[in-house]
Amino acid sequence: MPPNEIDTVLDQIRAHGGRITTARRLVIGVLLDTHEHLSAEAITDIIRTEHPEVHLTTVYRTLESLAAIGIVAHTHLGHGAAVYHLGEIHQHLACEVCGALRDVPVSVLDDLRATLERDHSFVLHVGHFALLGRCAEHAADEVTSTSDG
Amino acid sequence: MPPNEIDTVLDQIRAHGGRITTARRLVIGVLLDTHEHLSAEAITDIIRTEHPEVHLTTVYRTLESLAAIGIVAHTHLGHGAAVYHLGEIHQHLACEVCGALRDVPVSVLDDLRATLERDHSFVLHVGHFALLGRCAEHAADEVTSTSDG
DNA sequence: CTGGCTGCAAATTATTTGCATAATC
DNA sequence: GATTATGCAAATAATTTGCAGCCAG
């Protein structure tokens, strides 16, 4: 984790009156390091290999705090735990067969947003739920609903 | 519940080797009657006003059976219980503020589907997650995330 | 030194599973 | 009469809450 990146996040926490603790450093570190989408439990497992004293509850609360500041967001990929990620809101494409996850800019939904607003007076918010379907590799498979979500 | 409608469903259950029981009649009856999107618990509560012996577990198992036949589907509207509905798969628009739910045909997603397939080789499946946002009445409200989902 | 944060236990919510009994075909 | 479905209890998974002590600011 490049010190500059983590310091930026820590500064944001301070700016919002939050305190810098070991647990918070570790959570942010994992998210910066992996740059993947991890569940609270997965984050905790990684932290615990080095710091077994950090509790799942604390990770949840840290993620909650970071979400309140707007630093992290979570998404639902299907049935099962939510996954957390740093940075900009984006849209997720999740393969129902293999679980492959792909991030796409929210702009792919611009047309849909315009349509919904025009035809249904509905203002779309994006990113909270993944879009489910099949990745290229599994597009031709039977429909067997592995992680239907 | 019009007898013809319920009989159609019962016939489909028989055709798949399932048995017709009081609990199943009641679950289907509630879904046909209300024509709304109800959680398993909500369905059970309605049934129990007249038939307190019907158990939540049975309702879950009935819904599972009906889903296997393709008669019901469930959707996630946000955080909280999934909601079940009879009939065609459709897309749901859920208001984060008031919870208002609106059904729209899956065809609103046709353009998005084409875009995702062309640009990301991703085959979109629809209906399992609602699209979240604001209904006309709450489009102008502050973003306070009531039922963010 | 004080209020925010943590650890731990326990509660909650949504759903699933095991098993003996009951009801359907 | 052979299965399938049900009732009830209990397990599971994901997340939240309560509370006393700890620690950052």
Side-chain angles (χ1 to χ4, degrees):
Chain A
M1 51 191 132
N4 48 319
E5 284 191 53
I6 197 163
D7 283 347
T8 304
V9 175
L10 296 181
D11 281 346
Q12 286 177 268
I13 294 174
R14 284 191 200 93
H16 286 262
R19 293 179 179 178
I20 310 304
T21 66
T22 307
R24 289 184 173 186
R25 276 180 198 279
L26 290 167
V27 169
I28 298 161
V30 168
L31 289 176
L32 282 172
D33 263 350
T34 70
H35 250 293
E36 272 186 45
H37 296 70
L38 300 170
S39 68
E41 190 158 31
I43 294 168
T44 307
D45 287 348
I46 294 171
I47 290 175
R48 285 193 155 206
T49 61
E50 296 273 311
H51 298 266
E53 76 279 6
V54 174
H55 218 269
L56 177 57
T57 300
T58 302
V59 172
Y60 270 111
R61 281 193 275 225
T62 296
L63 292 169
E64 188 182 27
S65 305
L66 295 175
I69 298 175
I71 294 173
V72 307
H74 74 268
T75 307
H76 302 274
L77 304 181
H79 293 162
V83 295
Y84 295 77
H85 62 90
L86 287 165
E88 298 290 300
I89 295 290
H90 45 260
Q91 183 60 51
H92 303 86
L93 309 180
C95 177
E96 294 169 355
V97 179
C98 66
L101 191 60
R102 178 158 188 172
D103 296 352
V104 295
V106 296
S107 60
V108 299
L109 295 162
D110 283 350
D111 287 348
L112 176 63
R113 181 181 296 105
T115 303
L116 292 176
E117 199 150 351
R118 173 167 37 78
D119 296 348
H120 302 282
S121 305
F122 185 84
V123 181
L124 181 65
H125 291 179
V126 302
H128 195 81
F129 282 146
L131 293 172
L132 302 182
R134 304 295 181 99
C135 69
E137 201 175 334
H138 298 105
D141 291 16
E142 304 260 330
V143 174
T144 30
S145 190
T146 305
S147 72
D148 77 317
Chain B
M1 52 192 131
N4 48 318
E5 284 191 54
I6 197 163
D7 285 348
T8 304
V9 175
L10 296 180
D11 281 346
Q12 285 176 269
I13 294 174
R14 284 191 200 94
H16 286 263
R19 292 178 180 179
I20 309 304
T21 66
T22 306
R24 289 184 173 187
R25 277 181 198 278
L26 290 168
V27 169
I28 298 161
V30 168
L31 289 175
L32 282 172
D33 262 351
T34 70
H35 250 291
E36 272 186 45
H37 296 71
L38 300 171
S39 68
E41 190 159 32
I43 294 168
T44 306
D45 286 348
I46 294 171
I47 290 175
R48 284 193 156 206
T49 61
E50 295 273 310
H51 298 265
E53 76 279 6
V54 174
H55 217 269
L56 177 59
T57 300
T58 302
V59 172
Y60 269 112
R61 280 194 276 227
T62 296
L63 292 167
E64 188 182 29
S65 306
L66 295 175
I69 298 176
I71 293 173
V72 308
H74 74 268
T75 306
H76 302 273
L77 303 181
H79 292 163
V83 295
Y84 294 78
H85 62 90
L86 287 165
E88 299 289 301
I89 295 289
H90 45 259
Q91 183 59 52
H92 304 86
L93 309 180
C95 178
E96 293 170 355
V97 179
C98 65
L101 191 60
R102 178 157 187 172
D103 296 352
V104 295
V106 295
S107 59
V108 300
L109 296 162
D110 283 350
D111 286 349
L112 175 63
R113 181 181 296 105
T115 303
L116 292 176
E117 199 151 350
R118 171 168 39 78
D119 295 348
H120 303 282
S121 306
F122 185 84
V123 181
L124 180 66
H125 290 179
V126 301
H128 195 82
F129 281 146
L131 293 173
L132 303 182
R134 303 296 180 101
C135 70
E137 200 175 335
H138 298 104
D141 290 17
E142 303 261 331
V143 174
T144 30
S145 191
T146 306
S147 72
D148 78 316

